[in-house]
Amino acid sequence: MKKTLAGVSLAALGAVATHDLLQRRHAILRNFPVVGHARFWLEAIGPELRQYIVAGNDEERPFSRDQRRWVYASSKLQNNYFGFGTDNDLEHGSGNVIVHHRTFGRAHPTHGAVGQEARLPSAKVLGGPRGRTHAFRPASVVNVSGMSFGSLSGRAIEAINRGAAEAGCLHNTGEGAVSPYHRNGADLVFQIGTAYFGCRDEQGRFDLARLKDLVASTPIRALEIKLSQGAKPGLGGVLPAPKVSREIAETRGVPEGVDCLSPSRHAEFDDVDSMLDFVELLATETGLPVGIKSAVGDLGFWNELADLMDRRDRGVDFVAIDGGEGGTGASPLIFTDAVSLPFRLGFARAYAAFAERGLHEDVTFIGSGKLGLPDNAVVAFALGADMVNVAREAMLAVGCIQAQKCHTGECPTGVATQNPWLARGLDPASKAERVTNYVKTLRRDLLKVSETCGVEHPALIGPDSVEVLDNLSEGRLLEDVYGYRPGWGFPSERDRADIARIMAATEEAEAETEGPPETAEDGVRGDDAAGEVPSE
């Protein structure tokens, strides 16, 4: 028996060696038959090797091991503290962010009592300044960014939606329309992309009647016109025919088994003036707040938009700025690496276009692009963001391990795939709980930092409270780095007073109902307390 197995093994190796020597596609295999396959295997598992063996805690991108560990631990209510000091290179590195704590401030030290259930509403009323019929104050400054059914599995969408509902935050549908998986309790922001999925006619043109029917039958609180996103600005999308299942076809309103194309630009408008007409049409017909989502490149668009809004007869209710760090959408490398500005620079330039005209207090600013981490989120609020959207961080919460196979459909944890076998491993109920925990933990940490800065709410942290270090002997405040003028980066005086009053009332109510404050040891389980990256 052993001789037979050995003979079969040798014959198999001989066949592989013969094939390698005769083939002409790979020089490595012709020169090193059989053993040359190890090179391709090591390349295939490179991301996993770097994650757990090669890279340091603060080296890997797009999310370092420390960052992933914080999201994983937060989503499972495990110990998300870090010991033995920072991994950041403060001695020799540049670009480190330092938040200025204050010894005394306005905020009362009650945030420790509200714990995991900390409430953190927006400082601005979405759609209020323009008098939209269904204007509202978002209940959470942390919300889920646009990731469509098609790019993510149905089970992942369901988990995120359930988790968002429990956390009381908004769930952006992405441009793939409202699927059955988006109908699990969360309020929605409906994203209108260039292909008008979910609100298009048989020819693929925008259909206002279908949009109104959708709004009437779905918990949609706002409409977002997607102009571009950080990972692929100005680039249309393609969902290959084999991935266009009956379920996706019905959701998007496209033929089954045919390539699903998203144009690079909208057909309903072709300049800023006609875009504002479209915005006002949607707002008038639905009563909902209407905004835009865009990466930042040419500033001519933003200056023209601000100029036209300065007439005060038309305007967007919110602006969602997506940084070039964004990455839920697959795209060519040139777009991923070199098209659109990173969040901080892009946001500051777009914000300035409105602030220079006195419009910044009437627009809700939303940031996205790796802002689901507390330090990045604090910088966004200090620059003038009123809310932050999280995408890949929500994916991590539902099980993503940063395998970086989103574009292949072979996501091993069932998050970014339409493969039924891979998706079946993701349990929406348990993963929904993790999304809830993650969002609540991020809000709690943002409250803690606000208290450290002496204010009641992260929107009240200004650009004079955050410093960027060039080295150990030099640093500059955000307001100096990005050329902010006095008063920029804050809501209006009325909004500041309102949110301070709301936070004071919220803290008093929740302090009466919550148990004792959490300690650093709360939630420690097993090996996670030792600083290892918890499993998905």
Side-chain angles (χ1 to χ4, degrees):
M1 183 68 178
K2 292 182 178 179
K3 291 182 178 180
T4 302
L5 290 175
V8 171
S9 298
L10 287 173
L13 287 174
V16 172
T18 301
H19 171 270
D20 291 345
L21 289 168
L22 295 177
Q23 61 84 36
R24 298 177 180 276
R25 293 185 60 191
H26 302 291
I28 286 179
L29 297 182
R30 283 174 65 86
N31 294 336
F32 304 96
V34 181
V35 296
H37 287 277
R39 181 265 178 195
F40 298 101
W41 178 73
L42 289 171
E43 180 184 41
I45 64 171
E48 289 80 2
L49 287 174
R50 289 189 293 274
Q51 283 179 16
Y52 301 109
I53 299 176
V54 179
N57 288 341
D58 204 36
E59 290 178 350
E60 196 178 7
R61 295 292 180 268
F63 289 85
S64 71
R65 185 181 300 167
D66 278 349
Q67 291 170 336
R68 296 197 319 278
R69 179 195 156 205
W70 183 85
V71 174
Y72 291 146
S74 298
S75 70
K76 291 183 280 187
L77 295 185
Q78 295 173 346
N79 183 1
N80 64 358
Y81 283 59
F82 288 75
F84 213 64
T86 180
D87 284 335
N88 294 340
D89 185 359
L90 297 179
E91 291 89 350
H92 308 100
S94 61
N96 289 296
V97 169
I98 302 298
V99 178
H100 288 187
H101 71 282
R102 288 185 169 86
T103 305
F104 302 105
R106 298 193 311 270
H108 300 291
T110 59
H111 294 154
V114 298
Q116 202 65 25
E117 297 302 320
R119 304 298 179 186
L120 198 55
S122 170
K124 291 179 180 175
V125 175
L126 193 61
R130 298 204 61 78
R132 306 303 189 195
T133 303
H134 300 302
F136 69 104
R137 184 187 299 275
S140 174
V141 297
V142 179
N143 300 287
V144 179
S145 192
M147 296 177 286
S148 64
F149 172 49
S151 61
L152 299 192
S153 68
R155 285 174 173 257
I157 294 292
E158 180 182 345
I160 290 172
N161 191 263
R162 287 186 179 190
E166 182 63 26
C169 70
L170 298 168
H171 182 189
N172 192 302
T173 63
E175 66 175 321
V178 179
S179 72
Y181 306 103
H182 287 99
R183 301 175 183 269
N184 285 277
D187 285 340
L188 303 175
V189 175
F190 180 63
Q191 188 179 93
I192 301 175
T194 56
Y196 306 111
F197 296 130
C199 56
R200 58 189 263 154
D201 60 20
E202 286 70 18
Q203 288 71 47
R205 297 298 296 265
F206 173 72
D207 189 324
L208 179 60
R210 293 190 180 186
L211 175 65
K212 294 174 69 173
D213 289 343
L214 180 67
V215 169
S217 62
T218 312
I220 294 173
R221 303 297 304 275
L223 303 176
E224 179 182 85
I225 301 170
K226 176 185 170 183
L227 303 178
S228 63
Q229 67 186 76
K232 49 181 179 181
L235 185 69
V238 177
L239 192 62
K243 289 188 176 182
V244 185
S245 64
R246 175 178 298 179
E247 193 173 29
I248 289 178
E250 291 175 351
T251 297
R252 298 194 176 197
V254 299
E256 180 183 354
V258 178
D259 285 346
C260 183
L261 307 177
S262 298
S264 60
R265 290 177 172 81
H266 282 265
E268 291 302 303
F269 51 85
D270 55 14
D271 58 17
V272 179
D273 188 63
S274 56
M275 183 192 77
L276 286 177
D277 286 340
F278 187 60
V279 167
E280 293 299 330
L281 170 68
L282 299 182
T284 300
E285 293 292 331
T286 66
L288 297 175
V290 181
I292 58 173
K293 172 181 179 177
S294 181
V296 178
D298 173 38
L299 289 180
F301 165 80
W302 299 100
N303 287 320
E304 185 177 357
L305 174 60
D307 281 339
L308 290 176
M309 285 183 58
D310 199 21
R311 301 175 186 176
R312 310 287 172 166
D313 57 340
R314 298 173 300 165
V316 298
D317 298 296
F318 66 91
V319 172
I321 300 295
D322 200 13
E325 304 93 328
T328 59
S331 65
L333 185 62
I334 178 64
F335 283 84
T336 299
D337 286 353
V339 180
S340 85
L341 292 170
F343 172 78
R344 295 176 188 175
L345 188 56
F347 182 91
R349 290 181 180 179
Y351 180 90
F354 293 88
E356 286 170 350
R357 297 160 179 82
L359 299 170
H360 57 298
E361 295 179 351
D362 297 332
V363 176
T364 292
F365 290 93
I366 305 171
S368 60
K370 287 190 71 174
L371 301 184
L373 303 166
D375 53 343
N376 290 344
V378 167
V379 173
F381 283 111
L383 286 173
D386 302 293
M387 298 189 290
V388 294
N389 282 348
V390 299
R392 285 172 296 178
E393 299 88 342
M395 292 170 63
L396 290 170
V398 299
C400 168
I401 61 172
Q402 195 170 278
Q404 297 180 299
K405 295 183 178 180
C406 312
H407 60 296
T408 68
E410 298 175 1
C411 172
T413 57
V415 178
T417 181
Q418 297 305 314
N419 183 312
W421 173 257
L422 295 172
R424 65 179 289 279
L426 194 158
D427 176 53
S430 63
K431 299 301 186 182
E433 184 178 353
R434 294 188 182 184
V435 173
T436 300
N437 293 338
Y438 159 70
V439 171
K440 288 183 175 181
T441 301
L442 178 56
R443 291 195 304 230
R444 183 196 64 188
D445 282 8
L446 289 174
L447 271 176
K448 288 181 177 180
V449 176
S450 300
E451 180 181 325
T452 294
C453 293
V455 296
E456 302 87 348
H457 188 278
L460 305 183
I461 299 174
D464 59 343
S465 294
V466 179
E467 186 171 359
V468 179
L469 301 184
D470 294 326
N471 49 56
L472 279 181
S473 61
E474 187 175 1
R476 293 188 296 164
L477 297 175
L478 282 183
E479 60 184 4
D480 297 324
V481 173
Y482 297 107
Y484 272 35
R485 300 174 187 171
W488 289 14
F490 296 99
S492 67
E493 289 188 11
R494 177 177 177 178
D495 285 336
R496 278 181 265 178
D498 285 347
I499 196 60
R501 184 166 53 251
I502 290 171
M503 293 306 297
T506 299
E507 290 166 4
E508 291 173 4
E510 292 183 341
E512 294 176 358
T513 59
E514 286 293 319
E518 294 182 351
T519 66
E521 289 75 30
D522 284 350
V524 175
R525 301 176 187 171
D527 295 336
D528 293 324
E532 296 299 319
V533 178
S535 66
E536 63 85 23

